[in-house]
Amino acid sequence: MANAEIGVIGGSGFYSFLDDVTEIMVDTPYGPPSDSLFLGDIAGRTVAFLPRHGRAHHLPPHRINYRANLWALRSVGVRQVLGPCAVGGLRPEYGPGTLLIPDQLVDRTQSRVQTFYDGEPLPDGSTPNVV
């Protein structure tokens, strides 16, 4: 299987920025990821791109299988993940094109598993070790 150093989980179609893309389908113990992985090189480094909402942008945020997405990226060697996103802002002085890096995170997500290690058997019947 191909190997990538960096993973990017981003908007549909971002992989069009990669040259000579290889599409890889990955099975995970958590079910299917949002889509295939798209591998290509940027500045001499292999990058694996995964469309967060699927290439047809069909998955709403609450249906994204985050565990499968991360498992798929790790299965091709990814150790660093970037997750760029575009959202609205609450401060008019930070207009379009401003790059912000949050120093706090409030996760109001509900009804979604928050861990890989919840003590339950995986779909393949194995039980992950707690770490």
Side-chain angles (χ1 to χ4, degrees):
M1 181 170 282
N3 218 14
E5 300 174 54
I6 299 171
V8 177
I9 301 174
S12 305
F14 185 81
Y15 52 87
S16 64
F17 292 106
L18 299 172
D19 293 325
D20 195 24
V21 174
T22 301
E23 182 176 351
I24 298 174
M25 295 179 66
V26 179
D27 291 322
T28 82
Y30 298 99
S34 296
D35 207 320
S36 299
L37 300 179
F38 298 89
L39 276 64
D41 290 332
I42 297 177
R45 298 182 82 177
T46 304
V47 175
F49 175 76
L50 177 62
R52 179 182 290 116
H53 297 278
R55 77 182 89 185
H57 205 74
H58 65 280
L59 292 169
H62 68 282
R63 302 285 306 216
I64 294 171
N65 191 341
Y66 294 94
R67 295 191 300 176
N69 287 352
L70 291 174
W71 188 281
L73 289 170
R74 183 65 184 104
S75 74
V76 297
V78 168
R79 302 289 289 189
Q80 299 172 336
V81 178
L82 301 172
C85 61
V87 298
L90 299 175
R91 311 248 328 247
E93 63 268 27
Y94 300 126
T98 303
L99 175 64
L100 297 174
I101 300 173
D103 63 357
Q104 299 178 32
L105 174 67
V106 177
D107 185 355
R108 296 179 155 258
T109 307
Q110 298 178 11
S111 304
R112 181 169 56 204
V113 177
Q114 299 289 321
T115 179
F116 284 92
Y117 307 101
D118 56 7
E120 298 295 321
L122 299 174
D124 66 4
S126 65
T127 303
N129 293 326
V130 175
V131 295

